[in-house]
Amino acid sequence: MATPHEQILALTLIPAAATIFGGAIAVWRTPSETVRSVIQHFAAGVVLAAVAGELLPEMTREHQPLGVVIGFILGVALMLCVKLVAERDEATSGGKVGLLAAVAIDIFIDGLLIGVGFAAGARVGTLLVIALTLELLFLGLSVATSLAQANWGRGRNLLCIASLSGLVVAGASLGSALLGGLSGVALEIMLSFGAAALMYLVVEELLTEAHEVQETPLITVAFFAGFVSLYLLELMA
């Protein structure tokens, strides 16, 4: 049974609120680099568990190799384009315009991924909401920290984060409307697209930045704690 559109949007408000909450934390008291690294590792583990425990089994169940190839190519290509936009702007204008553009695209894609998840089933969509809530919590924290370092005022900073958070709801709304009835190759493409985008997020964004600080046993354990936490939820669901 398909999850009602209104219920999907209501659940998507959770990661949207987490984005604002992360931004508020950074605006009033920026966490240390070690704490941020722990959060990044934990979020990376949760996101990877969502991919391994939910998206990959759904992709295998569809048995559409062509859809897997197309979806992965589209997912990786889009994420590389987002990275290119951010890097090019950083080299020419200090990075804030490119940063916000890249973050906006990233958050909108996260919303689409929630729509993809619910197209595969309520269980998949709900677990993706949980995983992306943690990812967006860190994203809001990271962006607000960057804007504060650029001397943005608290009000302007939080308004920007709140505006960005709305994109996850917009993405989920579009994804739910367009992807709710997908099946076969089309669904396989979208599932593979989502898996590729999330794996890119873990490998090229969360863990890359997290490793800029000196590794400690606590930081390493946080990754596995995040993975096991979501996987246990999957087993109990």
Side-chain angles (χ1 to χ4, degrees):
M1 181 178 177
T3 305
H5 181 74
E6 294 77 11
Q7 184 178 342
I8 295 174
L9 294 185
L11 288 171
T12 309
L13 292 176
I14 299 173
T19 309
I20 299 173
F21 182 65
I25 292 174
V27 166
W28 271 278
R29 185 180 178 86
T30 304
S32 68
E33 291 184 347
T34 299
V35 171
R36 289 165 59 189
S37 183
V38 169
I39 295 172
Q40 287 168 313
H41 275 77
F42 188 86
V46 169
V47 172
L48 190 60
V51 174
E54 295 298 328
L55 290 181
L56 293 183
E58 290 292 333
M59 290 161 55
T60 302
R61 187 175 297 116
E62 290 293 324
H63 293 291
Q64 300 284 352
L66 179 61
V68 172
V69 173
I70 294 174
F72 263 78
I73 290 174
L74 292 175
V76 174
L78 180 58
M79 298 307 288
L80 287 174
C81 288
V82 172
K83 181 179 181 180
L84 181 63
V85 168
E87 290 180 344
R88 182 170 295 178
D89 182 74
E90 183 175 4
T92 58
S93 63
K96 294 300 171 282
V97 174
L99 169 68
L100 294 177
V103 168
I105 295 171
D106 193 354
I107 293 177
F108 186 76
I109 291 173
D110 285 346
L112 284 177
L113 294 182
I114 292 174
V116 171
F118 280 106
R123 169 193 167 105
V124 179
T126 301
L127 288 170
L128 279 177
V129 167
I130 295 172
L132 292 175
T133 293
L134 289 171
E135 184 254 321
L136 289 174
L137 171 67
F138 167 74
L139 189 62
L141 189 153
S142 179
V143 173
T145 298
S146 179
L147 295 179
Q149 291 172 346
N151 296 320
W152 283 43
R154 287 181 175 178
R156 183 187 180 195
N157 197 331
L158 279 178
L159 180 61
C160 180
I161 299 299
S163 300
L164 289 171
S165 72
L167 292 173
V168 70
V169 180
S173 179
L174 180 63
S176 173
L178 297 181
L179 307 176
L182 289 184
S183 61
V185 175
L187 178 59
E188 187 72 85
I189 289 173
M190 294 309 302
L191 290 173
S192 302
F193 171 86
L198 288 173
M199 286 191 287
Y200 183 96
L201 169 71
V202 170
V203 174
E204 293 294 331
E205 294 188 20
L206 288 174
L207 292 182
T208 297
E209 186 172 345
H211 286 154
E212 292 178 358
V213 302
Q214 184 174 354
E215 194 82 6
T216 66
L218 174 62
I219 291 175
T220 302
V221 167
F223 172 82
F224 295 98
F227 187 95
V228 170
S229 297
L230 191 74
Y231 202 72
L232 288 175
L233 283 177
E234 293 175 1
L235 293 177
M236 292 185 293

